[in-house]
């Protein structure tokens, strides 16, 4: 059974459509509050922060899917993470992919880069941030005020008994 990312899930009836852009730091804060729900730890959140920090704009535009793909080298990520070893970095990247917070867009040769063509088209390979910029998971749906949002995510973060 293939797992759907939150962007691929159909919208719930009666809910307003998702915005076309979201603030990356708000998203990171929301994911941090609900990190147990996503099954990620603090080191993986720091890696997600480093990936989000590679984007120049604080607004993530959901209408441009190739604009949400970052293509840093392992050395760049390691430097942003105070010298995290590459083996640890790869393990945490795999955990973020498994949690559905990022997606890999691999080129045929495994490189992370942008290929530009003469006609203006381009292929972007790297880490796709669009899964993390989607709306909170349905299981955490509820009020949208800041205090209610924090309460909602804390409730979602509790392990079920």
């Amino acid at each position: 059974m293939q797992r759907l990312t939150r962007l691929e899930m159909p919208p719930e009836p009666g809910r307003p459509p998702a915005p076309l852009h979201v603030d990356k730091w708000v998203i990171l804060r929301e994911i941090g509050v609900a990190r147990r729900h996503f099954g990620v730890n603090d080191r993986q959140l720091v890696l997600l922060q480093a990936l989000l920090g590679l984007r120049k704009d604080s607004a993530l535009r959901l209408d441009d899917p190739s604009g949400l793909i970052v293509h840093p080298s392992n050395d760049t990520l390691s430097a942003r993470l105070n010298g995290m070893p590459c083996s640890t970095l790869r393990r945490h990247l795999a955990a973020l992919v498994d949690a559905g917070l990022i997606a890999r867009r691999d080129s045929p040769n495994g490189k992370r880069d942008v290929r530009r063509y003469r006609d203006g088209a381009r292929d972007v390979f790297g880490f796709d941030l669009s899964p993390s910029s989607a709306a909170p998971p349905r299981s955490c749906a509820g009020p949208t005020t800041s205090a209610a949002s924090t309460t909602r995510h804390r409730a979602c973060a509790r392990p079920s008994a």
Side-chain angles (χ1 to χ4, degrees):
M1 181 171 135
Q2 184 178 4
R3 191 169 134 187
L4 293 176
T5 65
R6 286 174 276 154
L7 282 179
E8 296 169 339
M9 291 183 184
E12 291 183 17
R15 289 196 68 170
L20 291 179
H21 67 279
V22 293
D23 186 271
K24 64 183 177 183
W25 305 122
V26 171
I27 291 296
L28 183 65
R29 198 168 30 252
E30 294 270 327
I31 292 170
V33 170
R35 70 176 181 232
R36 278 192 258 158
H37 172 77
F38 291 106
V40 295
N41 62 30
D42 57 338
R43 302 268 319 240
Q44 292 155 356
L45 285 177
V46 170
L47 176 56
L48 182 60
Q49 179 181 2
L51 288 169
L52 287 169
L54 292 166
R55 300 265 317 137
K56 293 181 181 173
D57 298 331
S58 65
L60 300 175
R61 296 194 51 84
L62 301 177
D63 57 348
D64 180 19
S66 66
L68 294 176
I69 299 175
V70 294
H71 41 86
S73 66
N74 285 352
D75 290 338
T76 301
L77 285 174
S78 180
R80 285 180 175 248
L81 298 170
N82 300 318
M84 179 183 283
C86 282
S87 59
T88 305
L89 180 67
R90 286 191 301 269
R91 186 174 67 247
H92 290 320
L93 283 168
L96 289 173
V97 169
D98 289 344
L101 295 175
I102 63 172
R104 288 182 187 266
R105 302 287 179 238
D106 292 333
S107 68
N109 63 359
K111 303 279 184 190
R112 300 177 206 139
D113 61 355
V114 179
R115 292 187 186 158
R116 292 178 178 86
Y117 301 103
R118 290 183 184 173
D119 62 358
R122 62 186 196 148
D123 292 329
V124 184
F125 302 103
F127 298 110
D128 187 354
L129 302 174
S130 60
S132 64
S133 62
R138 286 189 194 166
S139 61
C140 294
T144 58
T145 64
S146 178
S149 176
T150 302
T151 305
R152 174 185 71 214
H153 286 303
R154 283 193 182 138
C156 288
R158 289 190 194 114
S160 54

